[in-house]
Amino acid sequence: MSRTLLVLATGGTIAGTAGSAIRRDYRPGQIGIEQFVSQIADLGIDTPLIGKQIANIGSENIGPEIWATLHEEISSALADPEIAGVIITHGTDTAEETAFALDLTLPTHKPVVLVGAMRAADAVGSDGLRNFANAVRLASDRDAAGRGVLMVMGDRAFAARDVRKAHTESVDAFRGFPRDAIAMVSPSSLEWFGAPWRADEAARFVWPEHWPKVDILFAHAGMSAKDVAHALAAEPAGVVIAGFGTGNMPDPVRSAFVDAAHSGVPVVRASRVDEGLVDREPEDDANGFVAARAIGPAKARILLQLLLASGANDAATIQAAFDRR
Ligand code: DAS
């Protein structure tokens, strides 16, 4: 059985350099994938790697266009008996969004693992090569399949649905909610905290021909109905409100969103708070709202876009997709 892993490189800090071990202002996306592949061999790791450079940019510039390229490359790799799994090197800023978009649109029978770094490759204490070696260890493991897309950072692995960046600079920047890490990993060890729960699952959504316009509104003290009217004037196909606490919002804002939901624009209540559920409230039925449950606003937007692109736009169907683990 093939042990070869395909590595799709997109850039980010993991491929960044500053030209100095102590400078703070590094440039992301400076190192090509061949360098990583040869560094892994230099470490004595004998996993065969095929590197492919998809882009070499900071992840603030990654969106549906690069997702589409990744999706196409990974789909071919998943169908290729010569490829055992796929690693994607990625900036950490939007890695959770790329991971979730791919998670919802790929089957689960082979490992697909994102990896990044918080320190540039030439920074003192750089975490990039270790994270990459960990990703190789993880993606080489048969039990990494059947869990959806994974992300490896700082000796821990997370599921795409759970993972989020929770710190701007620390090497320990990633958290999972509602599940925290699902494995501990090092270049020479791997400990899963439980069995695969999505074995041989088909892709949940087909890749959309176009991503419908869905906006996120961030709740803030003093937010008014005018803020909602402004957003709706641009005619989004759906809206996510990053609400207070459990998805709350000022009364005039709620009324404006009720009108929107009743006029056929799906409204998802998420939270601007990092952790905790946004559960359904009794009024959600009458309001026509969807509760994002454990999904944060950025990922709620992606799930709503895929639902809308697949033709689902009623609150019950959308709610069922948010409820599914
Ligand atoms: N340079 C930023 C990015 O590409 C941060 C990072 O990679 O960690 O997302």
Side-chain angles (χ1 to χ4, degrees), residues 265-320:
V265 179
V267 176
V268 175
R269 292 192 303 110
S271 179
R272 67 177 202 173
V273 179
D274 264 358
E275 288 187 1
L277 292 178
V278 173
D279 257 329
R280 279 193 76 74
E281 288 172 351
E283 317 81 79
D284 281 337
D285 283 340
N287 290 344
F289 291 169
V290 172
R293 307 271 298 152
I295 300 181
K299 287 186 199 166
R301 174 174 175 273
I302 291 170
L303 179 51
L304 182 54
Q305 285 179 298
L306 286 169
L307 283 157
L308 290 166
S310 72
N313 68 354
D314 68 287
T317 308
I318 295 171
Q319 184 66 63

Side-chain angles (χ1 to χ4, degrees), residues 10-15 26-29 57-62 90-95 116-119 153 165 168 174:
T10 69
T13 298
I14 191 167
Y26 65 93
R27 297 222 320 244
I57 56 178
S59 74
E60 63 275 17
N61 292 314
I62 289 184
H90 200 291
T92 59
D93 285 351
T94 65
M118 293 302 290
R119 293 179 183 153
M153 286 294 290
K165 189 172 184 177
T168 56
F174 280 76

Side-chain angles (χ1 to χ4, degrees), residues 59 67 90-104 114 149-151 159-167 173-175 274 296-299 302:
S59 74
W67 295 348
H90 200 291
T92 59
D93 285 351
T94 65
E96 67 206 58
E97 284 163 80
T98 299
F100 194 47
L102 295 173
D103 182 70
L104 292 169
L114 271 85
V149 173
L150 302 177
M151 172 137 192
R161 197 176 178 98
D162 304 325
V163 73
R164 79 195 145 76
K165 189 172 184 177
H167 198 285
F174 280 76
R175 298 280 177 274
D274 264 358
K299 287 186 199 166
I302 291 170

